[in-house]
Amino acid sequence: MEKYMFLFLGGDTSHLSPEKQQAHMEKWFEWVEKLKNEQRYVAGEALMPGGKTVAGAKKVVTDGPYAESKELVGGFFVILAKDIDEATMIAKDCPDYVLDGIVEVREVIKFD
Amino acid sequence: MHDSQVNQLIDHLFRHEAGKMAAVLTRLLGFHSLELAEDIVQDTLLKAVSTWKIKGVPENPPAWLYTVAKRKAIDAIRKHQLQAQHNQQIHQGLRSEWTLSSTVDDFFTKEEIEDSQLRMIFACCHPAIPYESQIALTLKTLCGLSIAEIASSFLTSQEVINKRLYRAREKIREARIVLEAPALAALPGRLEAVLHVLYLLFNEGYNSSHPDQLIRHDLCEEAIRLCVLLTRNPTTDTPDARALLALLCFQASREDARTRPDGSIVLLKDQDRSQWNTALIERGKYYLETSTSDGAPSTYHIEAAIAGSHSRARTFEETDWKSIAMLYNLLYQMKPGPIVALNRAIAFGYSESPTAGLNALRKITGLNDHYLYHAAMGDFHALNGNESEAFHCYQSAEQRAVSPVQKKLLAMKQFELSSRVRG
């Protein structure tokens, strides 16, 4: 099994009612539960919106990584999968696609 | 990560807490800061969604939400240096950095939250805002109903409700309306709208527009709880408030008998009446008996009398349809509308004859899109032994029903009819 990282972009729920927001979140709980039951789940973190960007030789500091919430990375998972195809299949279970969410699937490089 | 806590989030937690937080925050920040309070609630829930979906549910979800909301409120107070147009005592506490946190903390105690909700409902029912906008605003902000749910309770579209909400907010801004808990003397003037809010809140719970749920007990309980609070305060303990509470108790007494464990509907005719909650029926009777006044009865009085009459009948056959039809006549004079007309026609049909019922139903206009209208037509055709007409009506009803449980019931009716014809 190899490690893969899922980067979650977008998936904005701000237009939903509290009831719908909760319902959407519960779909995530089911997904995480499934990943844990299959012993694929390794780690996950949620990221605050906003932040700072440092760039260039002059180390220019700007506010926020991106302006568009569509492109904002909201968090990530590290999961186990046989290969990139299997990891991609698993990523298709992410509940955020209905909210125009995007999942980037990246293999974690093994250092040996 | 709390592996075992997955899926353990209380149903409707967000909806409940959104209303509570909005109420507390508006009281804290001043009633003129309704929009700021709504933004803080929105931000708090968004933060919960983005964190919990990845990290799981925290130990104490409401406490987590309150902590975030408190922090955001303190930030807002610092940033806006909110001018205290409100309570002097609150202002004192908020002015100094030293006491800011503890004053904010004080607002998130259980008692204060409960108090704030009712107070805010009265505040939102401000007479300068158009009546229907007051009610839409209150249901949205304080009861946490979605636009779709509010639209369904008013039998109208979501655009109409959006417009009403927009108008309410515009009015608050333009006329610089200060939403604040009215003085004692002004409470009775706003009570009518407040009772209407509780009535609609209960109805949404009792006949949920949610596709997968017929009854949402939490909404019914909430409406009853708030109505009980009204009857405990001498200023708001009016005959109308008691009549509404009586109605809610009678309706709620049938909640358990109205659905099967699989969620399907049991019609009044087929309900196991021993499952009716007698304690609630007794409470209903008590409130109705003590709701008399010298003034004219309200629609709540009439509706409570109808619901009370049903709960007196030990069997469906014993139902006193003559009185019920008469009460619906009265109700129709006070509140003419297609749904009351529909119920009146049904009661009339049971007290006179199925043909009389059909004739009364045919006179109603504006309900062609409503499944209950076609279902009622079907019932009377079936009683008249006119199976093919009945079958046709149930089909039309099924096409127009919203929730799967309603559709299932109508499909069952068609099935029963066809086996009757064959058998």
Side-chain angles (χ1 to χ4, degrees):
Chain A
M1 290 290 221
E2 306 299 326
K3 277 186 188 166
Y4 290 87
M5 182 179 269
F6 291 171
L7 288 160
F8 303 114
L9 285 74
D12 183 20
T13 58
S14 59
H15 59 288
L16 300 179
S17 69
E19 191 81 8
K20 295 250 168 71
Q21 287 184 328
Q22 183 171 342
H24 181 73
M25 196 169 63
E26 277 163 359
K27 287 193 195 131
W28 273 81
F29 296 162
E30 284 166 28
W31 188 37
V32 174
E33 175 102 316
K34 188 168 169 250
L35 290 173
K36 285 185 175 172
N37 286 342
E38 293 169 356
Q39 301 190 328
R40 294 186 179 283
Y41 185 89
V42 180
E45 293 294 345
L47 304 176
M48 290 281 280
K52 300 278 184 189
T53 306
V54 186
K58 288 187 178 164
K59 300 173 188 171
V60 177
V61 178
T62 44
D63 272 341
Y66 299 103
E68 291 273 330
S69 70
K70 218 168 54 187
E71 300 160 344
L72 203 67
V73 179
F76 65 84
F77 280 173
V78 176
I79 61 110
L80 296 172
K82 199 170 74 215
D83 51 31
I84 185 82
D85 292 334
E86 193 182 55
T88 312
M89 279 299 290
I90 296 165
K92 285 186 176 172
D93 288 339
C94 174
D96 271 4
Y97 302 113
V98 286
L99 299 170
D100 294 330
I102 298 166
V103 180
E104 238 180 76
V105 183
R106 305 282 295 270
E107 185 169 348
V108 177
I109 295 177
K110 219 189 261 174
F111 192 79
D112 43 24
Chain B
M1 266 286 178
H2 308 276
D3 296 48
S4 57
Q5 287 191 354
V6 166
N7 291 338
Q8 279 191 357
L9 206 54
I10 312 158
D11 285 347
H12 317 295
L13 175 91
F14 271 27
R15 198 184 57 66
H16 271 305
E17 298 305 336
K20 287 181 188 167
M21 286 191 287
V24 173
L25 289 166
T26 1
R27 174 144 159 73
L28 176 69
L29 304 171
F31 286 112
H32 53 287
S33 304
L34 179 66
E35 270 177 275
L36 178 59
E38 284 186 286
D39 286 347
I40 293 178
V41 172
Q42 168 80 329
D43 283 355
T44 303
L45 292 184
L46 275 181
K47 186 165 180 197
V49 172
S50 53
T51 315
W52 300 3
K53 72 179 189 184
I54 290 182
K55 299 300 283 179
V57 183
E59 290 289 341
N60 183 341
W64 192 101
L65 292 173
Y66 292 166
T67 307
V68 173
K70 271 189 256 182
R71 220 173 283 146
K72 288 185 189 292
I74 291 173
D75 285 348
I77 292 164
R78 288 201 183 114
K79 190 168 148 202
H80 298 273
Q81 290 187 319
L82 289 170
Q83 289 303 307
Q85 295 169 15
H86 58 301
N87 196 307
Q88 198 57 37
Q89 228 177 339
I90 301 173
H91 181 56
Q92 287 292 336
L94 295 183
R95 209 162 47 181
S96 124
E97 279 290 320
W98 194 247
T99 48
L100 181 60
S101 276
S102 66
T103 306
V104 173
D105 275 342
D106 288 346
F107 274 83
F108 280 87
T109 61
K110 193 166 172 284
E111 295 72 33
E112 189 64 44
I113 290 168
E114 295 211 330
D115 236 34
S116 296
Q117 257 183 305
L118 201 56
R119 215 187 317 228
M120 265 309 289
I121 291 178
F122 272 98
C124 281
C125 292
H126 195 289
I129 305 169
Y131 185 78
E132 285 177 327
S133 297
Q134 292 172 27
I135 291 179
L137 180 70
T138 313
L139 288 172
K140 170 81 174 45
T141 313
L142 298 164
C143 305
L145 291 195
S146 68
I147 308 271
E149 287 163 354
I150 301 171
S152 121
S153 66
F154 277 109
L155 298 175
T156 182
S157 68
Q158 301 194 27
E159 292 91 273
V160 170
I161 299 302
N162 267 324
K163 267 187 216 138
R164 283 181 193 166
L165 287 171
Y166 177 76
R167 244 177 265 136
R169 296 197 173 110
E170 272 294 295
K171 186 81 194 175
I172 292 170
R173 232 190 327 265
E174 277 171 14
R176 296 180 169 273
I177 292 174
V178 180
L179 288 179
E180 60 189 354
L184 225 50
L187 288 180
R190 297 186 184 192
L191 192 59
E192 187 190 340
V194 172
L195 293 178
H196 198 167
V197 164
L198 300 185
Y199 175 81
L200 292 175
L201 182 63
F202 184 90
N203 279 352
E204 173 56 29
Y206 199 65
N207 228 326
S208 169
S209 56
H210 266 244
D212 48 351
Q213 258 173 315
L214 179 69
I215 301 181
R216 293 168 60 195
H217 296 282
D218 66 311
L219 293 184
C220 298
E221 275 167 27
E222 178 87 343
I224 291 179
R225 187 179 70 79
L226 292 169
C227 203
V228 167
L229 286 183
L230 289 178
T231 60
R232 283 196 191 144
N233 182 329
T235 321
T236 53
D237 182 15
T238 63
D240 290 5
R242 280 181 177 250
L244 175 62
L245 185 52
L247 170 63
L248 304 190
C249 288
F250 284 134
Q251 300 286 63
S253 74
R254 295 197 283 271
E255 265 179 30
D256 292 337
R258 251 178 101 222
T259 47
R260 294 190 186 85
D262 67 352
S264 56
I265 308 172
V266 187
L267 292 171
L268 187 61
K269 168 161 78 68
D270 304 320
Q271 283 173 18
D272 173 4
R273 294 184 180 220
S274 69
Q275 271 192 39
W276 288 359
N277 183 328
T278 44
L280 276 171
I281 293 177
E282 286 309 313
R283 273 176 75 190
K285 275 190 202 158
Y286 166 76
Y287 286 118
L288 187 58
E289 278 160 15
T290 54
S291 73
T292 49
S293 71
D294 303 334
S298 64
T299 55
Y300 304 125
H301 283 91
I302 312 293
E303 287 191 54
I306 293 169
S309 177
H310 280 299
S311 53
R312 266 196 305 278
R314 273 169 304 170
T315 61
F316 183 74
E317 290 69 30
E318 267 183 44
T319 309
D320 182 2
W321 286 112
K322 281 237 180 317
S323 315
I324 291 176
M326 211 183 67
L327 287 165
Y328 271 120
N329 260 331
L330 263 177
L331 187 63
Y332 187 77
Q333 282 162 26
M334 298 161 80
K335 193 168 96 172
I339 293 288
V340 178
L342 171 68
N343 284 312
R344 183 174 72 154
I346 294 171
F348 189 64
Y350 278 115
S351 80
E352 298 298 318
S353 69
T355 311
L358 283 170
N359 287 334
L361 284 173
R362 286 194 189 101
K363 282 186 201 140
I364 303 172
T365 50
L367 276 188
N368 200 35
D369 287 332
H370 206 293
Y371 81 99
L372 277 175
Y373 177 74
H374 297 274
M377 291 284 270
D379 286 344
F380 285 134
H381 277 305
L383 283 171
N384 261 350
N386 193 344
E387 273 92 7
S388 64
E389 272 298 316
F391 193 84
H392 184 72
C393 290
Y394 289 147
Q395 263 183 333
S396 315
E398 192 190 341
Q399 283 160 12
R400 290 166 175 85
V402 212
S403 75
V405 282
Q406 292 163 350
K407 282 185 187 293
K408 194 173 158 196
L409 176 79
L410 292 156
M412 278 289 291
K413 284 186 172 226
Q414 292 169 50
F415 175 76
E416 276 166 21
L417 271 182
S418 44
S419 46
R420 203 160 101 185
V421 174
R422 264 186 269 123

